[in-house]
Amino acid sequence: MSRTTPASTLITNIGELMTQDLEHRVLKDAALVFEGERISWIGSSAAAPAADERVDAGGRAVLPGWVDSHSHLVFAGDRTAEFEARMSGASYTAGGIAVTTGATRSVSDAELAGLVRERVHEALSQGTTYLESKTGYGLDVANEERSARIAAELVDEVTYLGAHLVPAGADPEEYTDLVCGAMLDAVLPHVRWADVFCEQGAFNEDQSRRVLKAAKDAGLGLRVHGNQLGEGPGVALAVEFGAASVDHVNYLSDKDVLALAETWAHWNPSTGTGTRGTVATCLPACDLSTRQPLAPGRELIDAGVQIALAANCNPGTSYTTSMAFCVTTAVLQMRLSVHEAVRAATYGGALALGRESGNDVDGQRAVGSLAVGHRADLHMLKAPSATHLAYRPGIPLTHSVWRAGVQAV
């Protein structure tokens, strides 16, 4: 039986190729070849091999597609009034989630899927080629299962977040039992991860621990919403359970930073080997919208913690899919270098999702960096270097996007 060789594509005359691979290479006058969905060659334009198709980058920059490791795309409704109130001085609390829950429950499967599809397309058009989304606006068994099922059809990674908020009128302990029992059983076929909003006004330390234990026992990877509104047990729980990430991390004690750093003590960032720790995922668009202090990304990196940047698209506190905005904010206000910010938004997100290495993990190639064998997720900018993401804030700089070797933009 004959096999069809995948068509090959050469992208040449790349002004700056930021690979975000383990060697942190930034190549000038570079070229890249991919065959099907697999990158097969990287080097200088002068040494580029022949290919079936040739794309001239015209001196533009190319970097990995964004990996957005934290979003809440499965929702209906609008919370503009809440946003306006917050901009007028009202403080953020977790209670607004209930508004979205009611709106989400009221729409049909087709309507909800259409809304998610629009948000995925919006993200892709801005260079996001790998995307996680959570449930969490259903908050009963039927609607959480529906959210998980719809998300599994439309995004790359699905996280169960039944522990987002205790619904109005529900007993917190009984609802936690539901999250750990029948609701978990219902979503299990559709999800790879579980999360808990461990925060004042949401789930306390004991309830969060129960959720994490049940999810871990069910074989799911773990994530934690933690330390968003103040210092709390979120980071400690994430470390205790070996969570892949703890997200928000606005308020960290020295003890929290040290605990996160210690999870990376047996990881070799130069080889990508050893024991992976807990990624600290910073959500700067959310921080600006809630007027919380920006997560201490600079301090975390300096302490040896691997960080990610994510958009946290949701209707209440971060209604954006723009990873470029998050990168710009990280450079201008969090004191990250351009390379560090781009890395956190690509390789860091992949690390938080366990997709940074291995060419066939769960049948999928590595994402978040450009290396031979990795998935051909490419983001070409209308600029000669990635520095323009921060140098020209607010300017749409996406020129072209390839996802798994297929040009999408």
Side-chain angles (χ1 to χ4, degrees), residues 26-343:
V26 179
L27 308 178
K28 304 295 185 181
D29 191 20
L32 177 149
V33 176
F34 57 88
E35 299 174 7
E37 69 166 28
R38 176 185 181 274
I39 296 172
S40 58
W41 183 88
I42 293 175
S44 69
S45 288
D52 298 315
E53 181 182 9
R54 179 187 175 96
V55 176
D56 189 333
R60 299 179 182 92
V62 172
L63 48 142
W66 305 126
V67 178
D68 190 347
S69 61
H70 183 127
S71 74
H72 303 254
L73 300 181
V74 190
F75 69 86
D78 180 274
R79 281 159 64 183
T80 305
E82 176 190 325
F83 175 80
E84 289 179 339
R86 198 163 59 246
M87 295 304 100
S88 298
S91 61
Y92 168 68
T93 64
I97 294 166
V99 176
T100 301
T101 299
T104 303
R105 289 177 178 178
S106 71
V107 300
S108 68
D109 285 16
E111 289 171 311
L112 190 57
L115 292 169
V116 176
R117 193 174 288 111
E118 288 175 6
R119 292 162 192 147
V120 171
H121 176 74
E122 179 182 85
L124 180 62
S125 71
Q126 300 172 86
T128 299
T129 52
Y130 202 82
L131 188 59
E132 180 264 11
S133 183
K134 306 176 194 302
T135 69
Y137 294 120
L139 304 187
D140 62 27
V141 173
N143 282 290
E144 281 296 297
E145 188 279 335
R146 176 176 79 141
S147 295
R149 173 170 37 85
I150 289 171
E153 296 171 355
L154 298 171
V155 304
D156 300 289
E157 303 272 348
V158 185
T159 300
Y160 167 48
L161 186 57
H164 202 184
L165 186 75
V166 177
D171 177 81
E173 297 304 316
E174 291 179 0
Y175 182 72
T176 302
D177 289 341
L178 183 68
V179 169
C180 296
M183 190 181 288
L184 173 60
D185 293 339
V187 303
L188 202 54
H190 311 296
V191 304
R192 184 168 175 245
W193 304 94
D195 201 340
V196 58
F197 192 8
C198 179
E199 198 65 68
Q200 182 180 353
F203 291 79
N204 64 28
E205 180 176 358
D206 179 65
Q207 293 159 351
S208 298
R209 179 175 279 106
R210 287 164 57 197
V211 171
L212 293 171
K213 183 179 186 306
K216 187 172 185 177
D217 289 347
L220 297 179
L222 304 180
R223 335 191 70 76
V224 176
H225 279 59
N227 299 61
Q228 178 186 7
L229 304 179
E231 290 186 23
V235 166
L237 282 173
V239 170
E240 176 186 338
F241 279 88
S245 73
V246 56
D247 302 16
H248 285 291
V249 295
N250 301 85
Y251 294 90
L252 298 181
S253 66
D254 291 344
K255 183 178 179 180
D256 289 328
V257 174
L258 179 60
L260 286 169
E262 287 178 343
T263 70
W264 294 98
H266 301 291
W267 169 263
N268 186 334
S270 298
T271 61
T273 57
T275 304
R276 182 189 287 108
T278 297
V279 174
T281 303
C282 305
L283 309 171
C286 178
D287 300 344
L288 294 175
S289 177
T290 57
R291 292 183 168 165
Q292 298 290 323
L294 288 159
R298 174 78 272 144
E299 291 80 358
L300 287 163
I301 290 174
D302 291 345
V305 179
Q306 297 289 321
I307 75 164
L309 290 174
N312 188 26
C313 181
N314 75 84
T317 62
S318 187
Y319 201 175
T320 181
T321 55
S322 176
M323 290 289 282
F325 176 75
C326 297
V327 167
T328 299
T329 304
V331 174
L332 297 180
Q333 298 195 44
M334 294 170 62
R335 296 185 292 120
L336 272 64
S337 70
V338 171
H339 191 280
E340 288 171 331
V342 171
R343 188 167 185 79

Side-chain angles (χ1 to χ4, degrees), residues 324 327-329 331-332 336-338 342 381-397:
V327 167
T328 299
T329 304
V331 174
L332 297 180
L336 272 64
S337 70
V338 171
V342 171
L381 302 181
K382 291 186 281 189
S385 73
T387 299
H388 281 242
L389 291 164
Y391 179 52
R392 304 194 67 207
I395 304 301
L397 290 180

